[in-house]
Amino acid sequence: MRIGDAAAAAGMTPRALRYYEQQGLVTARRTPSGHRVYDEEDIRRLRVVRELRDAGLTVGDVRAFAHLLRSVPADGVPGLLPQAPGSGACSAAEAVARRRLADLDARIARLSLLRARLAARLGEPEAEVTEPAESGGTGRAGADSGPLFRLETGPAPDGRALRV
């Protein structure tokens, strides 16, 4: 099956399929004319990758246990990521998923702190600002959170009014 049909069957775009191929998550065979071709096993593997990505794992996370994707059971991701902690069904995949879950929890905590700080600055009465223990009081939400701004009240040092 050619790339367009394979991508549609896996529920993604041809561009995403090429990206996953570049990342080593699937390997296409080539026709004598150089066209990529995929079989049902490739489609199954791509569906698993898509399902793992939809569950919150990054491409790097999936790449960490890509060697296991060949052996994913017919029921897909539930067999790869067991619901019983420590069951040993796929300890490498479980460890990666648990690290991602911890990272997501930390991001949510940092974003909740930033939201509470902004809400407090806007005078929302239920806004409560508490520092997470691991932040050391910085309250940064991560590299993707943008710059921190400190809002001051009153006139600027040169006497002009501040506009926010």
Side-chain angles (χ1 to χ4, degrees), residues 25-45:
L25 299 177
V26 69
T27 304
R29 279 141 322 276
R30 300 282 183 152
T31 64
S33 61
H35 293 280
R36 292 175 168 92
V37 290
Y38 302 89
D39 60 19
E40 287 303 316
E41 176 57 25
D42 296 323
I43 303 307
R44 185 192 62 77
R45 185 176 175 125

Side-chain angles (χ1 to χ4, degrees), residues 7-78:
M12 61 184 62
T13 64
R15 184 176 181 180
L17 199 159
R18 282 190 293 273
Y19 176 72
Y20 293 144
E21 183 180 346
Q22 180 185 36
Q23 296 300 310
L25 299 177
V26 69
T27 304
R29 279 141 322 276
R30 300 282 183 152
T31 64
S33 61
H35 293 280
R36 292 175 168 92
V37 290
Y38 302 89
D39 60 19
E40 287 303 316
E41 176 57 25
D42 296 323
I43 303 307
R44 185 192 62 77
R45 185 176 175 125
L46 288 165
R47 286 180 181 151
V48 169
V49 169
R50 190 193 71 231
E51 197 173 337
L52 290 168
R53 296 273 296 128
D54 289 347
L57 295 178
T58 66
V59 171
D61 292 337
V62 176
R63 209 174 37 238
F65 56 86
H67 62 284
L68 298 173
L69 296 179
R70 236 176 264 119
S71 61
V72 172
D75 61 350
V77 172

Side-chain angles (χ1 to χ4, degrees), residues 78-91:
L80 184 63
L81 298 175
Q83 290 185 332
S87 68
C90 264
S91 58

